[in-house]
Amino acid sequence: MTFGMTRRRFLGALAATAIAPHVHSAVTRIIVVGGGFGGATAARTLRTLLPRAAIILVESNRRYLACPFSNLVIAGRRTLEQQAFGYGALRRENIEVIHDAVVDVDGNARTLILQGGQTLDYDRLVLSPGIDFRWDALPGYTPTAVDAMPHAWKAGPQTRQLASQLRAMPDGGLVALAVTAAPFRCPPGPYERASLIASYLKQNKPRSKLLILDSNDKFSKQGLFTESWQRLYGNMIEWRGASLDGRVRRVDPAAMQLETDFDTITADVANVVPPQHAGEIAHRSGVADATGWCPIDAVTFESRLVSNIHVIGDASIAAPMPKSAFSANAQAKVCAIQVARLVNGRAPVATTLANTCYSYVSGDEAISVSGVYHNQGGQFANVTGAGGISPANAPIELRSQEAAQARDWFTAITGEAFGG
Amino acid sequence: MSVLIKPAARAAVCIAVLATVSCRSPEGSHDNAAAIDPMGHAAVLASVCSGCHVPGGTAISDLSQFSSARLEALMLTYKNAADGTTAMHRMARGYSEAEIRTISQFIEATAP
Ligand SMILES: Cc1cc2nc3c(=O)[nH]c(=O)nc-3n(C[C@H](O)[C@H](O)[C@H](O)COP(=O)(O)OP(=O)(O)OC[C@H]3O[C@@H](n4cnc5c(N)ncnc54)[C@H](O)[C@@H]3O)c2cc1C
């Protein structure tokens, strides 16, 4: 259905009077779970496309702390406050924002239960719960281990914890960065973190070392990171891939030790990027499979396991799209269009999505990777001939230009998710 | 919905993605406004752009300053520059000429 403007504004005005929260009526109810980059963007887009529907966002936290740019916080180049976003704009747009945790979803009854005890029903559910950690997967790395060995892979107190440990460390100390096997949130993230930790050390504790213990044999933008590390930090960063005995098998937080197959490393600061899977609620809802992630139809983002539930962002299986904020935002917009079409009795439409991830290699320079993706047999596939990374050995001006682009990107994407 | 009435709040909605028609002047003076389908294929293709491009962007350009003809020409330049290495070169290569035209027209018609 194509709205003329007058009609659309009229419907928008009608919606204000028609929505009565929690009372099931003829009003279509769309619930979005998770108010991060995926969920907040999805709720706002749905609000615009479906002015008559009730759009409800359930998010545990009153403030969202963004992971992108949180590595700059660790390096002392930004404050954690600059990472914080609220939900006021969403409320003003007539999205009902509920701050509570969803503890269960019944896909047959199309209901969900909040920790506060309330039951909500939905016509369609959009899940964007991000990630949770697999506490059973790395021996020794328990929920209490994170004080001694922070992950800082969800922004917040953990980001502060890692930053203050680096500040407390003696010059000449060893920082270990353990990286889990792919897939994980933000493929270039660990290497951006290594870069920014090194930039902090170079300035403040130049005799220190950073050892990356990697469960992977290659990584995102590897050539560009390696070249930048050499140029900016000399031999400060050492990378040990999986085949070079880099895989961490066990950690001992009390002793600050990380064990590989043949080695035990004692570190002054140990940052562990732990094994991950889709956010817990995806498992409770039955939309996650044995991989720990959620299989979806790449056109509509509807779960392959439970109908009327759409999964976007980090929790979804959308490879070759990376688990990034950029992807979550792009998927949210496209998913919202498809949900709006379905609500309006229209068939889904074929899609093309794209992603660009910027990574800082120092506080002032960045590199990037891009891809374009279309649907092929219900999955995503790379559009051949497109995508790629920043040029190698480029002049510093180009790297600082990409850092400026990264800042504009952050403004754009947080504005789109959380409003001005 | 009050957001559609208060100018300040309306500006906030316009920053959101696909707030298309509601961002136009009440008179609907724009020729394309009626033809723009906010749930259509063009909307899907163009939706990715606003993840980076915002009004007031400097390192990443503000698309609302360009006509659709100019947008199309720029995108085609990116697509066809064999030695181009920017993020826009890498992404423009993923779209056909027809898609580039569709995206350019959609962006012009929905610019705030
Ligand atoms: C160090 C680091 C750097 C990064 N840098 C970049 C970058 O430069 N560029 C980029 O594109 N990406 C980056 N990322 C990745 C990015 O943060 C994620 O990909 C993105 O946040 C995914 O969005 P999402 O909506 O899937 O999940 P999230 O943003 O994590 O949002 C999930 C939300 O759901 C809520 N939630 C979960 N379960 C429930 C429940 N049961 N009930 C209620 N609420 C719930 C959570 O509280 C959370 O707010 C980085 C990540 C890290 C760790």
Side-chain angles (χ1 to χ4, degrees):
Chain A
M1 154 168 47
T2 305
F3 286 115
M5 177 212 2
T6 319
R7 177 170 161 74
R8 195 178 154 76
R9 287 169 61 82
F10 173 63
L11 291 177
L14 260 191
T17 47
I19 294 166
H22 308 306
V23 178
H24 198 81
S25 62
V27 173
T28 302
R29 289 169 58 83
I30 315 283
I31 303 185
V32 179
V33 175
F37 283 103
T41 307
R44 296 188 80 200
T45 312
L46 284 161
R47 175 72 292 160
T48 312
L49 295 174
L50 294 172
R52 280 179 297 182
I55 310 294
I56 298 138
L57 174 71
V58 188
E59 160 60 50
S60 319
N61 301 313
R62 289 179 183 275
R63 308 200 307 166
Y64 179 77
L65 289 164
C67 283
F69 283 29
S70 67
N71 287 329
L72 289 165
V73 176
I74 291 164
R77 300 287 300 240
R78 271 174 84 82
T79 65
L80 198 54
E81 277 312 301
Q82 290 176 284
Q83 300 295 109
F85 298 89
Y87 297 93
L90 279 73
R91 283 212 170 81
R92 286 192 293 278
E93 289 161 10
N94 208 9
I95 294 165
E96 189 190 344
V97 182
I98 300 174
H99 289 299
D100 202 342
V102 177
V103 292
D104 210 354
V105 175
D106 182 338
N108 290 323
R110 281 194 250 139
T111 54
L112 56 79
I113 300 172
L114 303 181
Q115 197 158 42
Q118 202 182 2
T119 299
L120 304 179
D121 49 53
Y122 61 82
D123 295 294
R124 286 196 179 262
L125 179 64
V126 177
L127 291 182
S128 192
I131 56 154
D132 272 308
F133 302 119
R134 290 167 49 210
W135 296 112
D136 54 342
L138 175 61
Y141 203 68
T142 61
T144 52
V146 306
D147 283 339
M149 296 185 163
H151 53 76
W153 221 242
K154 292 186 179 186
Q158 278 279 297
T159 313
R160 277 217 180 87
Q161 178 77 352
L162 179 57
S164 59
Q165 286 186 358
L166 288 167
R167 273 144 196 82
M169 185 186 90
D171 189 8
L174 175 69
V175 181
L177 170 58
V179 185
T180 189
F184 53 82
R185 157 176 284 181
C186 196
Y191 314 98
E192 181 191 64
R193 174 159 300 165
S195 307
L196 290 172
I197 290 177
S199 82
Y200 167 79
L201 295 176
K202 184 183 169 186
Q203 287 264 308
N204 300 282
K205 313 188 173 185
R207 294 188 296 118
S208 310
K209 281 271 188 199
L210 170 56
L211 174 62
I212 305 172
L213 295 166
D214 205 328
S215 295
N216 304 281
D217 266 324
K218 53 180 172 43
F219 60 87
S220 175
K221 297 178 259 197
Q222 183 165 2
L224 297 177
F225 273 115
T226 309
E227 156 205 317
S228 307
W229 293 344
Q230 280 293 322
R231 176 171 58 83
L232 293 160
Y233 312 117
N235 296 322
M236 185 178 264
I237 301 178
E238 179 187 341
W239 177 75
R240 256 189 234 177
S243 324
L244 300 166
D245 193 33
R247 195 173 315 189
V248 172
R249 300 292 194 183
R250 211 183 77 84
V251 297
D252 181 346
M256 285 300 284
Q257 288 180 335
L258 305 103
E259 294 173 22
T260 65
D261 283 326
F262 302 104
D263 202 358
T264 299
I265 290 105
T266 308
D268 296 285
V269 173
N271 176 199
V272 177
V273 179
Q276 301 160 26
H277 59 188
E280 284 303 337
I281 193 59
H283 303 268
R284 297 275 181 94
S285 314
V287 295
D289 70 11
T291 66
W293 306 98
C294 306
I296 49 157
D297 173 73
V299 175
T300 60
F301 293 89
E302 189 161 357
S303 167
R304 291 190 176 282
L305 304 176
V306 184
S307 59
N308 292 62
I309 302 182
H310 300 251
V311 188
I312 55 173
D314 288 357
S316 68
I317 300 175
M321 286 193 87
K323 297 188 187 304
S324 68
F326 191 116
S327 292
N329 165 275
Q331 292 166 2
K333 290 179 275 188
V334 170
C335 175
I337 291 176
Q338 307 287 20
V339 167
R341 290 177 72 96
L342 292 166
V343 165
N344 281 288
R346 297 171 69 179
V349 61
T351 67
T352 302
L353 290 92
N355 176 74
T356 292
C357 283
Y358 294 97
S359 299
Y360 283 86
V361 292
S362 74
D364 310 298
E365 298 179 37
I367 55 179
S368 66
V369 56
S370 310
V372 184
Y373 317 93
H374 59 170
N375 322 122
Q376 222 165 55
Q379 316 262 23
F380 283 110
N382 285 309
V383 174
T384 45
I389 60 174
S390 309
N393 300 307
I396 292 166
E397 297 75 67
L398 197 139
R399 303 281 189 244
S400 32
Q401 212 176 327
E402 290 216 285
Q405 287 170 11
R407 288 189 287 273
D408 272 9
W409 165 77
F410 188 82
T411 305
I413 201 152
T414 54
E416 196 160 80
F418 303 103
Chain B
M1 191 160 61
S2 61
V3 277
L4 294 179
I5 299 156
K6 283 194 220 126
R10 199 168 76 209
V13 182
C14 294
I15 291 168
V17 240
L18 303 150
T20 55
V21 245
S22 60
C23 297
R24 302 243 131 242
S25 66
E27 291 73 38
S29 52
H30 203 285
D31 289 348
N32 280 347
I36 292 299
D37 177 357
M39 304 175 200
H41 187 236
V44 167
L45 289 176
S47 67
V48 76
C49 308
S50 59
C52 286
H53 294 273
V54 271
T58 48
I60 296 178
S61 55
D62 173 356
L63 298 182
S64 65
Q65 65 184 306
F66 300 123
S67 68
S68 74
R70 179 88 180 111
L71 280 171
E72 188 179 345
L74 285 167
M75 283 279 282
L76 288 173
T77 305
Y78 281 121
K79 178 181 168 66
N80 296 322
D83 54 354
T85 56
T86 70
M88 274 313 301
H89 288 103
R90 292 175 235 145
M91 288 188 288
R93 289 181 196 121
Y95 296 87
S96 70
E97 290 180 9
E99 286 170 332
I100 285 173
R101 170 161 296 183
T102 301
I103 292 169
S104 305
Q105 288 172 347
F106 186 87
I107 289 173
E108 184 191 73
T110 58

